[in-house]
Amino acid sequence: MRKKMLSNKRVFIVLDDVDSNEQLTALAGDRKWFGPGSRVIITSRDSHLLKTHGVNDIFKVEQLQQDEALQLFSLSAFKKTHPTENYKDLSMDFVNYAQGLPLALKVLGSFLFGRTIVAWRSARDQLEAIPNKEIMNILQISFEGLEDLQKELFLDMACLFQGDMSLDNIFLQTLESFGYYPGINIDVLVDKSLLTISYGKLFMHDLLKELGRDIVRRECPEEPGRRSRLFRVEDLYHVLKNDTGTDATKAIVVDSCPETKDRRLNAKALSKMRKLKFFKFHHSQTLKWRGKPLKYMPTNELQYLEWSNYHLKSFPSSFQPKHLTVLRMRGSLMKQLWQGSMDLDNLKELDLRDSKNLIEIPDLTGAPNLERIDLTAQVKWMVYDGKPLRAGVFPV
C-alpha cells in the first residue's frame, strides 16, 4: 500500500532511532517505493545497520565543543544561551562532566532549572559519587542491545583498561585469551558508538565508563565481594579486610590511591577469589600488605598481571601462573623474578621497565610464545643465562 501511494510522489521521511533491519525493511525497503527527488533520513545508534541497508551517506554526530555545550546546557538550565553570572563556574563544572554529550547536557540543565546555587553545588558533588539515573537509563539502551559476550567486553573496557587501549597485537591477544573474539566484537562496539578508534587507540566516553562501572556496582550494591570487577580502593579494602571475596570476582584494578591514612590489605583474603583472571595494582605508600599477596593469589585462571612498584624482591615459589598472557612489573624492587624455568606457554609480554634492582633475567625457555620484552631502565647491564645483557626493549 505504501509503495502504491508514494511511488510517484517526492517525499521527505525521517525514521528516528531505528534499531533493527526489520524496521528499515518495513518502512523504507526500496528506493523505488518513493518518487524521484525523495529524501529519507535515518537516525540510529548502530552505524552497521545503515551500511547494510545501503544508505548513500552516513554522518556521525560529533560531541559538542565547549562553547556549544555551554549554550545547550544554558538553554535547559536558564532558558537562554548563556548562564547567569554567579552560576558561570558551576555551569562549566556540569559542562565538563557531560563532555559534549547533548543528552547529558539537556538532562542536567533541566534538572537544575530554577534551583538555588546551594542545590547546584550539592548536585555537582553528588555526581562524583552517584551517576545521574536518567542519563544512565538512556545510555543503557545501547548496552542492553548487545549480546552477552559483547556486554562483558564493554564492562572490561569500562572498568579495566583505562588508558591502555592501544590496538596492538598483544592487547588484542589479551582480549582473545579472555574469549572475546575482539576482531568482530570491537567492531560491534564501535558501530554502536560505545567505543571510538583514533590513531590506533580505543577510546570510551567518560559517561559510558561510568555506565559500565554503575552496572557492575548494581551486581551487588551492598557487598563488593560479590561483584565481577573491583576497581575502587575502598571496595578492595572492604573485601580484604572483611574476607568477603568470592568466585564472582574476575578482575581487580587499583590504578591510584588517595594519599590518606595507611591501610593494611589482608593478602590471605585473596585466596577466595578463585576465578581471578585480571590483576592490576599500583603500589602506594598508604596501602600496605599484611602477608605476601602473590603467595595467596589464585593462579588457575590468572591471565593478566600488572603491578607497578612491586615491593618484594622476587615471586614466591608457590606462584605458578601457567595461563599468564601479560606480565608487567614496572618500577619493581625485584632482584629476580623466579629461579629455574617456569611453564608460561601463553606469555606474550614481559615488561620489567625501570626495575633498577634487577640483576638477573630468569630462564625464559618455558615461554616459547613471548613476543616482547621491555628491560628499559637506568642500569645498563644485567645477566641472562650467565651472560651480560644490555637493558632495553626487545621484540622476540
Side-chain angles (χ1 to χ4, degrees), residues 262-273:
D262 288 357
R263 294 175 177 176
R264 291 280 177 177
L265 302 177
N266 179 17
K268 192 173 183 179
L270 288 170
S271 61
K272 288 187 175 181
M273 304 178 192

Side-chain angles (χ1 to χ4, degrees), residues 15 17-28 49:
L15 305 177
D17 201 16
V18 174
D19 61 10
S20 74
N21 192 55
E22 288 76 12
Q23 291 174 335
L24 282 179
T25 301
L27 297 172
L49 183 62

